[in-house]
Amino acid sequence: MTTEPRTFPPRTLSAVKAVYARQAGCPSSVAVAVADFEPWTEGVEFETADTCTVPGWPDARVAELQEAFGSGVREELEELATLNPGTTVAVAVVLRSIKVHEVDSHPRAFRQAGRQAVRNALLKAYGPPSTPWPRLP
């Protein structure tokens, strides 16, 4: 069985939401983000939209969260290219909005949200992966 080479994303994937929340005790983590994944030239281009702000938070702190999200996106896409050699990554990721928790939002949480955004975009683009084993009733 041969598989055709594919490019990620195959089409524009708008409003891909990613939530990373871990609140089973201290320390806790909360990150919510919405991003668009658009076909682009080969590689990964990352940018933030003007709408990606947090009222009352210093710009430098918000920029740190945005950069962490972008790092998570890049890490996950590098892993995708490594695990699926036939997949070409050619994407522009636009971070549209973020939501934070006053205490529990930090760069590590947004890095994980970036990774989750890629996974959600893959699901939106290609559907769930096929399972090699039949499901049991």
Side-chain angles (χ1 to χ4, degrees):
M1 180 173 138
T2 61
T3 58
E4 291 182 34
R6 63 183 183 178
T7 300
F8 176 78
R11 63 187 181 287
T12 298
L13 305 169
S14 299
V16 176
K17 186 174 183 180
V19 177
Y20 181 76
R22 183 182 160 275
Q23 291 190 297
C26 289
S28 297
S29 300
V30 174
V32 179
V34 176
D36 296 340
F37 289 74
E38 301 172 2
W40 201 251
T41 59
E42 190 168 338
V44 180
E45 180 71 28
F46 177 75
E47 62 183 68
T48 58
D50 293 340
T51 56
C52 190
T53 60
V54 180
W57 280 40
D59 290 342
R61 189 169 178 198
V62 174
E64 188 178 19
L65 300 179
Q66 294 167 342
E67 289 172 23
F69 181 88
S71 293
V73 166
R74 287 184 187 92
E75 289 170 10
E76 193 69 19
L77 288 171
E78 285 173 16
E79 199 170 298
L80 170 69
T82 302
L83 295 175
N84 299 306
T87 301
T88 301
V89 175
V91 63
V93 180
V94 181
L95 182 58
R96 294 287 176 199
S97 67
I98 62 173
K99 291 186 181 178
V100 298
H101 183 275
E102 204 170 294
V103 175
D104 296 333
S105 290
H106 48 80
R108 286 185 323 274
F110 275 87
R111 184 177 141 268
Q112 291 300 327
R115 294 181 72 103
Q116 186 62 50
V118 172
R119 293 178 198 135
N120 292 347
L122 287 166
L123 281 172
K124 198 170 185 177
Y126 304 114
S130 59
T131 56
W133 302 99
R135 292 185 176 185
L136 299 175

